[in-house]
């Protein structure tokens, strides 16, 4: 055995998915969320960076696979920068699907393709300070302008969960007024356009790549759509493995996963184990 033993999925479907990936790696897709999966969660999202072992493990693994994709709610360019994914030997064919798939960065060209932003995002940005002020949640909340979405973080508030709960209804009403939806996450509420989620993005990418197996790793509520997409792909004959980057904060994801690993460090171990096994 190598220094990175491969963990065993606890479900039969997960074991089938992993076996299919190992049997035909050149036709397999490995897709990963960024924050909480490849990068540890930090109080200030602008300071999030990939786990130091993530890029080396991906660079060893990617050449042995059909493709590797990072699927994130962040802007594609931001994820590339915070991940340190550009210009890395071994990651020449990496794809980053940003803003839940609305944007796409390809390492092969180094460029981002994206449609025009939804007009509701600018309208929400203008009204948000008043909404936060009226709900008494201005103190300690932090607003992140993601270009195609607006994220309101409560992790820095005196009582993060209370601030989060207090904001759910007013932010849902604000989003609805401007044709947006609210995506809940780990002490963050994101207002963004409807119609694109990680499940749609992942399913389209898997189809485009002609994959015969898929592994997806995530850590948050936004990853449930990707989990559902893999479950649907299984019914269509594409075996898949669902990995939860274990966090006590999102039990529902851990319950649906075939394999729970210990946060980004555990994800890196898994990627290194796969690279070793396929080496």
């Amino acid at each position: 055995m190598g220094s990175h033993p491969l963990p065993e999925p606890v479900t039969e479907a997960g074991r089938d998915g992993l076996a299919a990936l190992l049997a035909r790696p050149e036709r397999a897709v490995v897709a990963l969320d960024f924050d909480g999966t490849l990068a540890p969660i930090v109080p200030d999202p602008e300071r999030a960076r990939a786990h130091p072992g993530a890029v080396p493990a991906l660079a060893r693994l990617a050449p042995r696979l059909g493709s590797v994709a990072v699927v994130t709610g962040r802007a594609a360019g931001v994820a590339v920068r915070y991940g340190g994914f550009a210009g890395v030997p071994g990651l020449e064919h990496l794809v980053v699907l940003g803003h839940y798939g609305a944007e796409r960065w390809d390492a092969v060209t180094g460029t981002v393709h994206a449609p025009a932003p939804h007009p509701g995002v600018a309208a929400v940005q203008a009204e948000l300070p008043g909404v936060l002020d009226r709900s008494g949640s201005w103190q300690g909340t932090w607003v992140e302008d993601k270009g195609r979405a607006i994220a309101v973080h409560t992790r820095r508030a005196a009582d993060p969960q209370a601030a989060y709960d207090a904001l759910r209804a007013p932010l849902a009403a604000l989003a609805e007024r401007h044709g947006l939806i609210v995506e809940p996450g780990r002490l963050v509420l994101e207002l963004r356009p409807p119609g694109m989620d990680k499940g749609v993005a992942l399913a389209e990418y898997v189809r485009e790549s002609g994959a015969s197996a898929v592994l997806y790793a995530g850590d948050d509520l936004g990853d449930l759509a990707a989990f559902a997409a893999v479950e649907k792909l299984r019914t269509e004959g594409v075996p898949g493995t669902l990995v939860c980057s274990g966090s006590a904060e999102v039990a529902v994801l851990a319950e649906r996963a075939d394999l729970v690993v210990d946060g980004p460090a555990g994800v890196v171990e898994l990627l290194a184990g796969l690279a070793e096994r396929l080496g």
Side-chain angles (χ1 to χ4, degrees), residues 9-246:
V10 295
T11 63
E12 190 179 348
R15 289 192 291 272
D16 289 348
L18 196 55
L21 184 155
L22 293 170
R24 298 191 68 185
E26 73 287 350
R27 288 199 54 204
V29 166
V30 167
L32 308 124
D33 164 51
F34 185 70
D35 291 279
T37 302
L38 287 174
I41 294 281
V42 290
D44 179 354
E46 290 187 349
R47 295 184 183 275
R49 295 295 181 271
H51 182 287
V55 167
L58 282 171
R60 278 186 67 200
L61 178 60
R64 297 169 166 84
L65 296 174
S67 63
V68 172
V70 175
V71 188
T72 175
R74 286 190 185 266
V78 171
V80 170
R81 200 161 65 244
Y82 291 3
F85 300 134
V88 177
L91 296 184
E92 292 87 356
H93 299 285
L94 181 74
V95 170
V96 176
L97 303 173
H99 283 309
Y100 303 91
E103 292 187 346
R104 175 173 172 149
W105 176 86
D106 285 271
V108 79
T109 57
T111 55
V112 173
H113 292 276
H118 187 290
V121 175
V124 159
Q125 179 81 306
E127 285 182 41
L128 195 54
V131 170
L132 292 176
D133 204 26
R134 285 192 296 279
S135 71
S137 304
W138 191 244
Q139 204 62 41
T141 54
W142 186 74
V143 177
E144 181 186 6
D145 179 359
K146 300 171 86 170
R148 296 170 182 280
I150 306 288
V152 180
H153 298 264
T154 66
R155 201 170 279 276
R156 296 185 204 164
D159 185 338
Q161 191 61 49
Y164 178 89
D165 293 339
L167 282 171
R168 289 193 77 144
L171 290 185
L174 174 65
E176 196 176 344
R177 275 206 304 283
H178 296 291
L180 304 182
I181 59 167
V182 175
E183 177 84 49
R186 289 163 72 175
L187 299 177
V188 58
L189 294 159
E190 186 169 312
L191 292 77
R192 63 181 184 84
M196 211 56 200
D197 63 36
K198 289 184 180 182
V200 174
L202 180 61
E204 284 181 2
Y205 184 73
V206 168
R207 271 195 288 276
E208 173 202 319
S209 62
S212 61
V214 58
L215 179 146
Y216 182 81
D219 75 305
D220 205 348
L221 295 172
D223 297 303
L224 282 171
F227 271 35
V230 172
E231 287 162 352
K232 185 168 189 301
L233 284 163
R234 285 171 175 170
T235 68
E236 295 164 8
V238 179
T241 306
L242 297 170
V243 179
C244 176
S245 174

